Amino acid sequence: MVQWEQFTTPVDQVVSRMRALEAHLPPRDGLAVFNRVYLAVTEAVDHRLERGVFPDPQAAITLDVRFAELYLRVAEEDHAPSCWRPLLQFRHHPGVRPLQFALAGINAHIGHDLALAVVDACRTLDCEPADLEDEFEHVGDLLVSLEERIREELMPGPDLLQIADPLTHLLGSWSMDRARAATWSAARALWALRRLPDVAEEFTDRLDAAVGFASRMLLTPLPD
């Protein structure tokens, strides 16, 4: 009898690893909060691939898997660049709300990891970033819709979230659209710098530090 695993795709394998993390991590753990968000995104990508929504499925799979692997390295191997360290440091802090954990994880993954994933996918597919722009936009559209959903699910009710609530100001300081635009520019810059490894490494380090600073601000502990 043929085993099911022979029919799994790389995206299916990524989904399985995220589900294993979900089963292992305590629900209130900050990384668990982000993992639930990212699992929903990856499942949505998988469903769209099955429906043939992406114009180039192979490019979409390559980008999605390279992107996910950067997060899974953090979650499974405790290999954390600067942009992820604030979330790992504050993941059990009682003063940080679930919405902050979700947005800090999205900030680290979009602001830093996605740019590296685009460059890695271009090397794998022997193409230019412009050739992946459609796939990048499809994934970005999913992330925008997901951000809207998690804000609805994790945001306190209107009777609790007042204009003076510090969470209101934190949420207003970060934008998915701005993060996507900055990431696409960073990916193009890194690709242009690929023949200048020292400069590319310095650029990546500065990007990592800047995104980590934003994540740290998003994780500012707040009073109940």
Side-chain angles (χ1 to χ4, degrees), residues 98-167:
L99 180 56
Q100 293 175 260
F101 288 132
L103 291 183
I106 291 174
N107 176 67
H109 203 37
I110 299 297
H112 174 265
D113 296 352
L114 185 53
L116 302 189
V118 169
V119 172
D120 193 11
C122 285
R123 289 196 179 103
T124 300
L125 298 167
D126 192 21
C127 68
E128 299 285 325
D131 299 320
L132 292 179
E133 190 166 6
D134 285 344
E135 286 68 33
F136 179 92
E137 291 300 331
H138 274 286
V139 172
D141 290 343
L142 279 172
L143 290 165
V144 168
S145 64
L146 184 72
E147 185 207 10
E148 293 171 354
R149 193 177 86 185
I150 65 170
R151 282 178 184 259
E152 291 174 0
E153 292 179 358
L154 299 178
M155 181 99 69
D159 56 327
L160 298 177
L161 189 62
Q162 304 297 329
I163 190 67
D165 190 322
L167 182 58

